[in-house]
C-alpha cells in the first residue's frame, strides 16, 4: 500500500499504472521533472487550463494566450488545419514549446458512428466494442484530436436519466469489461502511435444515481454502495491504464465530485495509485459556487485544486485565482506541481513533444470499408429480440409478396445515430428503409409510410392510411421509439413510454389482423407494457449508428440471428424504478404468488390477505424484460452444470462448467452468463451478481463446454467497515442465457475469515 501523501509527485506510482507508457516510465518521469523545474507558476497554471475551440478560427486572445503558455488543452476543435496552427503557436511561439492535448467527445464514433454505448453494451462483446473504439480513434486522430472524453462508465440503473444512453448499463462487471475494452480500443498498445488517442473514464463518480433520473440532480450514495457498485468500472479502467478521468457535475453526499478530495486524492490516487490526470467537467469548477459549496470562483479554484482536479475544462477559475491562492498559502505549490506533472506525463506518453502535428494523408478516409463493417457488426450484435411469438420472425422474402414499413424512425439517417455524435455524418447512414429495399426490394413490394412526423406527434390523421396499408400487405414492420434528442445529457424523461401517439398507431396496425413486428430505436429502456401484448415480435435496436439499417434488415429477414442481451433492466412501469437485477432479498421477499395486478384484488380484501412482502400492488416485483434477456432464432440447450469442487479454499479457485448445445439448424451467437449469490455476508449481498460471460458462435448441433474460473478475489466485496473481503460460506451459481434463467449449482468457501 503506498503512503498516500496527497501532493507527492506520483512518480512512485509510475511503474504500477503506466500500462501504456511508450517510453520507459523513468525516462518520461525524468523529462516531466526537468520541464516542470523550468516552468513559471503562470506556465504551470496554463497547463491546467483547457479552452473551447470549435470556431475553425483562432481568435487573437487565444493566440496571445498560447504564446504566453496560458493554455494546456483545447477542446472541440476538429478542423485539422486549425488544430495544426494551434499546435504550431504553442510549440514554436511559446517560451517552452509545450504541445496541446486536443480533446473531443468521441463517444461512439467520429464520422462513422457505432451504436450508442448502451447498444454496444447489449453486444456483451469486448472485441467488437474495442474495434469500434479503434475506428473512432483512427478517424478522430486524423483531424488532430488526441484525447476523447470516453468511455462513460457511470453505472446507470434509472432509464429516466437521459445519459443512460451513453452508459454501458446497470452492471458493474459488464461495465468494467466493456469499459476497459473501449479504453484499449482508443489507446491501443502504443499511445504515441499516430492513430491512438488518450481515453477518459467518466464521470467520476456516481452520476448515474441522479435523483429521479433528472440530470445533474443530487446523488446520495452510501460508501458501501459506492465501492461495491459505482467505483468498480473506474477501478478497472485505472488498472487498464486509462490516461485520464473526468469528475462528475454531481453533488455526492453534499460534496460535488469536482471538489471531492476523498474521491480524487484518497481513493483514485491514494488507494489506486492512478497516475494519469483528472479533468473537471465543463465549467464544473466554477459551478461549485452554484452548488453552494463555495462563495466564488476563487474558493472554487481552491477546493478543486486541493481535491486533486488537475485540469479545468472550459473555465477560468484556475487561470484567474490559482497563482494568488498559492501565494496566499491556500493551495500548496506541490498541488500545482503534481497536477502539471500528471498532465505533462500524458503529453509525453502521447508522443506530442515529438509529433505535435497531424497529416490527414497518414490516415485512411472516413467511413472506409473497415469502419463501416465494424459499425455494421456492432449494430448487428447490439439488437435485442425481446419477443417473437409464433416464430413470426424471421420474415421470408420468398413467402412475402408485400411488406409495409410504417413509423417515424424507418428512414431517419440522423436520428439512428443517437446522442453525442458531434461529428457523426448522416451521409454515411444506411437506414432500415434503404437497407430493406436493397435486400428484398426486387422480389417484395416494399411499401413505406412515415405516418407520424416525429415520435412525439399526436396527429393521427395518417392512421387510417396506415391501417389500410397494413391490411393490404402481408406483414407490417413498425419503426418506433425516440429521436436522438430525447436522450443524452440534460434529456431525461419522467414518462418513459413510447412518446406521442405511437401506442395508438400500434393498436390501429394490430386491427389489420396481419403480423405486426416492432423495431424500436431509442436511447433508453422504454416501458412497453402498453404494446407488448399487441405485437408479435419486438426488436430493440437502441440507436444503432451508421449501419443500423443493414443490421436490422439482415435480422428481420434471417440473414443473421439476433444475439443482443439487455445490459439494463426494462421496467413494466416507471414507478418500479429502480429495478436493477442485483436487488437484495430484503427481510420480506416477494414470491411468484405475489399478486401482480391491482384489478385482481377482491373488494374488502382483508388487510393481510395479499401477503406482506416487497412488491407493488399494480406492478408486482418483476421487470417486463430482465437484465441479460435476449432471444435468438436458434435454440441453445444448457446441461451438465458442474463445479470443480464443492468446497473452495479462500486461497483457491473454482471452475464452473456447463455444456451448451445449439439445437437449431442455423449458426448463431449465444451469450452464456454466470451469476453468483453469496448467501450470507458481512453486509447483505445481492440475489445475483454477474461474474462471467462468454459470447459463443455455435454451428447447428455444435456443443461446447464453457468453463468459468472464479477465485476468492472475484467474490470479494466491501464489508460494513469498508474492508474488502471474501468470506467463507454458502454460494449459489447459475449459468444461463439471462439473469432469470439458468441451471444452479452450490458450493462453499471454506477457511478462516
Ligand atoms: C459535457 C459532459 C461531458 C463532456 C463535456 C465536454 O457537459 O458532461 O460528458 O465530455 O461536457 O463536452
Amino acid at each position: 500500500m503506498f503512503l498516500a501523501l496527497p501532493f507527492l509527485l506520483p512518480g512512485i506510482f509510475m511503474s504500477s499504472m503506466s500500462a501504456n507508457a511508450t517510453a520507459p516510465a523513468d525516462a518520461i518521469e525524468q523529462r516531466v521533472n526537468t520541464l516542470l523545474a523550468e516552468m513559471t507558476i503562470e506556465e504551470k497554471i496554463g497547463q491546467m487550463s483547457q479552452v473551447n475551440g470549435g470556431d475553425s478560427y483562432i481568435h487573437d486572445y487565444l493566440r496571445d494566450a498560447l504564446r504566453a503558455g496560458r493554455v494546456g488543452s483545447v477542446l472541440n476543435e476538429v478542423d485539422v488545419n486549425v488544430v495544426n496552427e494551434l499546435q504550431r503557436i504553442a510549440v514554436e511561439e511559446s517560451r517552452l514549446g509545450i504541445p496541446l492535448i486536443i480533446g473531443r467527445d468521441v463517444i461512439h464514433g467520429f464520422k462513422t458512428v457505432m451504436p450508442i454505448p448502451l447498444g454496444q453494451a447489449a453486444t456483451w462483446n469486448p472485441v467488437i466494442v474495442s474495434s469500434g473504439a479503434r475506428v473512432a480513434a483512427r478517424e478522430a486522430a486524423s483531424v488532430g484530436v488526441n484525447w476523447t472524453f470516453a468511455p462513460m462508465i457511470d453505472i446507470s440503473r434509472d432509464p429516466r436519466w437521459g445519459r443512460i444512453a451513453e452508459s454501458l448499463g446497470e452492471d458493474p462487471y459488464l461495465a468494467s469489461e466493456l469499459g476497459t475494452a473501449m479504453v484499449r480500443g482508443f489507446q491501443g498498445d502504443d499511445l504515441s502511435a499516430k492513430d491512438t488517442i488518450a481515453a477518459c473514464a467518466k464521470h467520476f463518480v456516481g452520476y448515474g444515481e441522479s435523483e429521479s433520473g433528472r440530470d445533474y440532480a443530487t446523488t446520495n450514495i452510501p460508501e458501501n454502495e459506492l465501492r461495491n457498485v459505482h467505483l468498480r468500472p473506474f477501478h478497472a479502467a485505472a488498472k487498464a491504464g486509462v490516461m485520464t478521468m473526468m469528475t462528475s457535475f454531481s453533488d455526492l453526499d453534499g460534496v460535488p465530485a469536482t471538489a471531492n478530495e476523498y474521491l480524487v486524492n484518497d481513493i483514485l490516487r491514494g488507494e489506486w495509485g492512478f497516475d494519469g490526470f483528472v479533468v473537471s467537467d465543463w465549467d464544473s469548477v466554477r459551478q461549485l459556487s452554484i452548488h453552494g459549496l463555495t462563495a466564488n470562483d476563487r474558493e472554487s479554484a481552491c477546493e478543486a485544486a486541493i481535491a486533486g482536479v488537475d485540469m479545468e475544462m472550459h473555465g477560468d477559475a484556475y487561470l484567474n485565482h490559482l497563482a494568488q491562492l498559492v501565494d496566499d498559502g491556500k493551495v500548496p505549490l506541490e498541488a500545482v506541481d503534481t497536477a502539471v506533472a500528471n498532465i505533462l506525463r500524458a503529453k509525453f506518453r502521447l508522443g506530442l513533444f515529438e509529433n505535435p502535428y497531424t497529416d490527414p494523408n497518414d490516415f485512411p478516409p472516413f467511413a472506409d470499408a473497415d469502419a463501416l463493417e465494424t459499425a455494421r457488426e456492432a449494430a448487428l450484435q447490439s439488437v435485442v429480440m425481446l419477443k417473437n411469438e409464433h416464430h413470426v420472425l424471421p420474415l421470408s422474402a420468398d413467402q412475402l409478396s408485400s411488406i409495409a414499413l410504417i413509423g417515424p424512425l424507418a428512414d431517419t439517417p440522423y436520428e439512428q445515430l443517437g446522442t453525442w455524435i458531434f461529428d457523426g455524418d448522416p451521409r454515411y447512414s444506411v437506414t432500415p428503409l434503404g437497407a430493406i429495399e436493397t435486400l428484398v426490394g426486387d422480389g417484395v413490394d416494399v411499401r413505406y409510410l412515415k405516418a407520424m412526423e416525429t415520435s412525439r406527434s399526436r396527429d393521427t390523421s395518417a392512421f387510417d392510411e396506415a391501417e389500410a396499408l397494413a391490411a393490404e400487405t402481408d406483414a407490417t414492420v413498425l419503426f418506433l421509439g425516440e429521436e436522438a434528442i430525447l436522450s443524452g445529457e440534460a434529456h431525461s424523461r419522467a414518462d418513459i413510454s413510447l412518446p406521442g401517439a405511437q401506442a395508438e398507431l400500434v393498436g390501429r396496425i394490430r386491427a389489420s389482423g396481419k403480423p405486426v413486428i416492432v423495431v424500436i430505436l431509442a436511447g433508453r429502456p422504454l416501458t412497453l407494457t402498453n404494446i407488448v401484448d399487441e405485437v408479435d415480435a419486438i426488436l430493440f435496436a437502441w440507436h444503432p449508428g451508421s449501419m443500423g439499417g443493414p443490421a436490422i434488415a439482415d435480422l428481420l429477414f434471417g440473414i443473421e440471428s439476433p444475439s443482443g442481451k439487455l445490459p439494463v433492466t426494462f421496467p413494466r412501469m416507471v414507478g418500479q424504478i429502480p429495478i436493477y437485477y442485483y436487488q437484495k432479498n430484503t427481510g420480506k421477499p416477494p414470491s411468484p404468488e405475489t399478486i401482480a395486478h391491482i384489478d385482481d384484488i377482491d373488494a374488502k380484501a382483508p388487510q393481510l390477505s395479499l401477503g406482506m412482502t416487497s412488491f407493488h400492488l399494480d406492478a408486482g416485483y418483476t421487470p417486463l424484460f430482465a437484465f441479460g434477456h435476449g432471444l435468438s432464432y436458434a435454440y441453445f440447450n444448457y446441461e451438465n452444470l458442474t463445479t470443480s469442487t464443492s468446497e473452495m479454499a479462500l486461497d483457491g479457485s473454482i471452475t464452473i462448467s456447463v455444456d451448451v448445445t445449439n439445437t437449431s439448424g442455423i449458426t448463431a451467437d449465444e451469450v452464456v452468463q454466470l451469476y453468483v449469490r453469496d448467501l450470507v455476508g458481512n453486509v447483505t449481498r445481492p440475489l445475483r451478481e454477474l461474474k462471467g460471460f462468454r459470447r459463443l458462435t455455435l454451428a447447428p448441433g455444435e456443443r461446447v463446454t464453457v468453463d468459468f474460473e472464479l477465485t476468492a478475489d472475484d467474490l470479494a466485496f466491501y464489508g460494513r467497515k469498508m474492508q474488502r473481503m471474501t468470506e467463507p460460506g454458502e454460494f449459489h451459481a447459475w449459468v444461463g442465457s439471462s439473469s432469470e434463467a439458468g441451471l444452479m449449482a452450490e458450493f462453499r468457501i471454506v477457511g478462516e475469515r
Side-chain angles (χ1 to χ4, degrees):
M1 188 61 171
F2 291 114
L3 181 62
L5 295 178
F7 304 122
L8 192 63
L9 274 181
I12 61 169
F13 300 143
M14 280 298 289
S15 55
S16 66
M17 302 299 289
S18 51
N20 287 314
T22 48
D26 51 7
I28 286 183
E29 210 53 30
Q30 186 57 45
R31 295 178 73 183
V32 166
N33 292 331
T34 302
L35 180 51
L36 191 63
E38 294 179 54
M39 297 172 76
T40 65
I41 184 68
E42 288 73 21
E43 289 165 333
K44 291 176 181 177
I45 295 168
Q47 287 301 305
M48 299 170 71
S49 303
Q50 179 184 60
V51 302
N52 196 38
D55 300 339
S56 289
Y57 169 77
I58 303 174
H59 299 280
D60 289 346
Y61 73 85
L62 183 50
R63 287 182 181 277
D64 296 343
L66 289 163
R67 290 187 185 110
R70 289 203 307 272
V71 180
S73 173
V74 173
L75 80 156
N76 293 330
E77 184 51 68
V78 291
D79 178 326
V80 67
N81 298 315
V82 175
V83 172
N84 279 332
E85 177 60 5
L86 289 166
Q87 291 286 21
R88 189 196 63 74
I89 298 168
V91 170
E92 299 174 22
E93 298 185 12
S94 74
R95 188 176 78 88
L96 293 172
I98 301 173
L100 300 166
I101 186 166
I102 305 292
R104 182 67 163 174
D105 292 287
V106 187
I107 307 301
H108 53 110
F110 188 67
K111 293 292 182 184
T112 307
V113 179
M114 307 298 151
I116 55 172
L118 191 59
Q120 292 188 50
T123 70
W124 293 53
N125 185 351
V127 173
I128 197 66
V129 165
S130 187
S131 300
R134 190 91 292 285
V135 168
R138 185 173 70 221
E139 292 192 346
S142 75
V143 301
V145 170
N146 45 46
W147 179 26
T148 177
F149 305 125
M152 189 277 217
I153 49 178
D154 300 311
I155 294 302
S156 305
R157 5 194 242 197
D158 189 333
R160 295 170 294 183
W161 190 44
R163 304 200 75 164
I164 195 170
E166 301 171 61
S167 80
L168 295 169
E170 71 188 40
D171 181 73
Y173 180 84
L174 185 63
S176 298
E177 293 298 300
L178 299 181
T180 52
M182 276 190 184
V183 169
R184 289 192 299 273
F186 287 130
Q187 298 190 168
D189 298 326
D190 174 4
L191 253 180
S192 67
K194 64 165 80 77
D195 64 351
T196 59
I197 60 178
C200 180
K202 72 182 186 184
H203 305 81
F204 192 67
V205 70
Y207 188 13
E209 289 297 285
S210 297
E211 284 182 342
S212 79
R214 189 162 39 85
D215 203 3
Y216 314 126
T218 306
T219 66
N220 288 295
I221 308 172
E223 184 169 354
N224 191 270
E225 184 80 354
L226 197 68
R227 288 180 177 276
N228 285 326
V229 176
H230 299 280
L231 283 170
R232 282 170 55 191
F234 289 91
H235 195 184
K239 286 187 279 190
V242 71
M243 266 313 307
T244 69
M245 295 242 185
M246 182 188 296
T247 56
S248 162
F249 285 125
S250 43
D251 172 353
L252 174 61
D253 305 340
V255 182
T258 302
N260 200 307
E261 188 173 3
Y262 180 60
L263 288 181
V264 182
N265 269 338
D266 296 354
I267 294 178
L268 182 60
R269 304 245 186 244
E271 290 182 29
W272 301 351
F274 179 66
D275 70 345
F277 74 84
V278 175
V279 65
S280 76
D281 203 334
W282 181 278
D283 219 15
S284 66
V285 173
R286 292 191 303 187
Q287 286 167 16
L288 295 174
S289 60
I290 302 173
H291 275 286
L293 189 83
T294 63
N296 52 50
D297 285 356
R298 171 183 158 88
E299 290 181 12
S300 298
C302 185
E303 288 275 7
I306 285 179
V309 176
D310 302 311
M311 183 183 284
E312 179 182 12
M313 176 187 286
H314 182 72
D316 53 11
Y318 278 8
L319 271 178
N320 294 339
H321 300 285
L322 211 40
Q324 191 59 52
L325 285 162
V326 171
D327 279 353
D328 298 346
K330 298 289 186 187
V331 173
L333 178 60
E334 290 79 1
V336 172
D337 286 349
T338 298
V340 177
N342 294 334
I343 294 165
L344 294 178
R345 184 178 306 112
K347 293 184 174 183
F348 279 117
R349 285 179 178 170
L350 280 164
L352 292 178
F353 286 84
E354 288 72 31
N355 300 301
Y357 305 116
T358 300
D359 179 354
N361 299 314
D362 290 345
F363 297 85
F366 294 135
D368 65 355
D370 173 63
L372 293 177
E373 177 51 23
T374 302
R376 190 193 71 83
E377 186 62 31
L380 192 65
Q381 295 188 24
S382 70
V383 177
V384 181
M385 184 155 73
L386 297 176
K387 175 181 181 180
N388 188 22
E389 295 279 296
H390 328 300
H391 307 292
V392 71
L393 288 178
L395 298 171
S396 165
D398 300 336
Q399 292 166 13
L400 284 177
S401 61
S402 60
I403 187 170
L405 307 182
I406 299 173
L409 293 165
D411 192 33
T412 57
Y414 174 80
E415 303 303 347
Q416 70 185 53
L417 300 181
T419 188
W420 280 110
I421 46 99
F422 285 167
D423 305 292
D425 190 335
R427 289 174 303 174
Y428 300 127
S429 294
V430 182
T431 68
L433 173 62
I436 291 167
E437 285 175 334
T438 302
L439 183 65
V440 301
D442 290 346
V444 177
D445 178 14
V446 178
R447 312 277 297 280
Y448 168 56
L449 178 69
K450 190 168 187 178
M452 298 172 69
E453 195 45 42
T454 72
S455 70
R456 283 138 293 145
S457 170
R458 298 196 179 282
D459 174 2
T460 61
S461 56
F463 286 16
D464 290 346
E465 183 185 359
E467 185 174 345
L469 182 58
E472 64 194 47
T473 50
D474 295 340
T476 293
V477 182
L478 284 165
F479 288 87
L480 309 174
E482 299 174 321
E483 285 83 11
I485 193 67
L486 298 185
S487 58
E489 183 172 352
H491 300 159
S492 298
R493 294 177 63 205
D495 171 359
I496 55 171
S497 59
L498 283 168
Q502 295 182 83
E504 186 178 338
L505 177 59
V506 170
R508 296 292 298 277
I509 301 304
R510 170 87 267 164
S512 72
K514 299 291 184 61
V516 183
I517 296 103
V518 174
V519 178
I520 295 177
L521 280 70
R524 57 161 55 83
L526 299 178
T527 46
L528 303 172
T529 310
N530 59 345
I531 68 156
V532 68
D533 295 328
E534 300 287 300
V535 302
D536 299 298
I538 301 175
L539 291 180
F540 205 89
W542 316 98
H543 285 122
S546 304
M547 299 302 280
I552 290 166
D554 284 357
L555 293 168
L556 283 171
F557 287 91
I559 311 295
E560 300 280 358
S561 169
S563 59
K565 298 285 184 177
L566 293 181
V568 62
T569 300
F570 276 49
R572 297 178 186 281
M573 54 177 76
V574 74
Q576 288 185 295
I577 295 169
I579 186 172
Y580 49 92
Y581 85 91
Y582 46 93
Q583 302 265 338
K584 306 233 178 142
N585 202 28
T586 76
K588 305 187 84 172
S591 62
E593 297 71 51
T594 299
I595 194 166
H597 204 289
I598 199 164
D599 299 347
D600 301 341
I601 299 172
D602 297 335
K604 299 192 178 63
Q607 169 73 19
L608 307 183
S609 64
L610 303 180
M612 310 299 277
T613 64
S614 176
F615 73 103
H616 290 107
L617 286 176
D618 48 0
Y621 66 99
T622 60
L624 185 62
F625 296 109
F627 176 86
H629 170 74
L631 302 177
S632 169
Y633 296 148
Y635 290 91
F636 299 97
N637 184 52
Y638 286 73
E639 57 188 336
N640 305 329
L641 177 64
T642 60
T643 58
S644 57
T645 174
S646 59
E647 291 197 343
M648 171 186 143
L650 269 174
D651 59 356
S653 67
I654 186 170
T655 300
I656 299 167
S657 304
V658 71
D659 291 341
V660 184
T661 306
N662 176 354
T663 59
S664 74
I666 61 168
T667 294
D669 281 17
E670 167 70 332
V671 178
V672 180
Q673 301 160 45
L674 166 69
Y675 296 88
V676 172
R677 180 184 180 183
D678 179 355
L679 271 69
V680 176
N682 180 260
V683 293
T684 54
R685 311 290 298 117
L687 285 168
R688 288 194 186 198
E689 288 184 280
L690 183 69
K691 292 294 182 185
F693 62 89
R694 200 81 42 80
R695 174 179 273 263
L696 307 172
T697 300
L698 296 180
E702 184 177 4
R703 170 200 288 243
V704 296
T705 298
V706 181
D707 297 326
F708 294 103
E709 184 180 13
L710 292 177
T711 64
D713 189 65
D714 294 320
L715 300 170
F717 63 96
Y718 284 87
R720 66 188 82 171
K721 293 190 172 62
M722 298 312 135
Q723 75 286 20
R724 193 163 184 275
M725 60 199 299
T726 302
E727 296 175 299
E730 298 289 334
F731 287 78
H732 290 169
W734 294 266
V735 179
S737 60
S738 92
S739 62
E740 284 182 323
L743 303 174
M744 196 267 270
E746 300 178 358
F747 65 92
R748 291 176 55 78
I749 290 186
V750 295
E752 290 307 308
R753 280 178 192 266

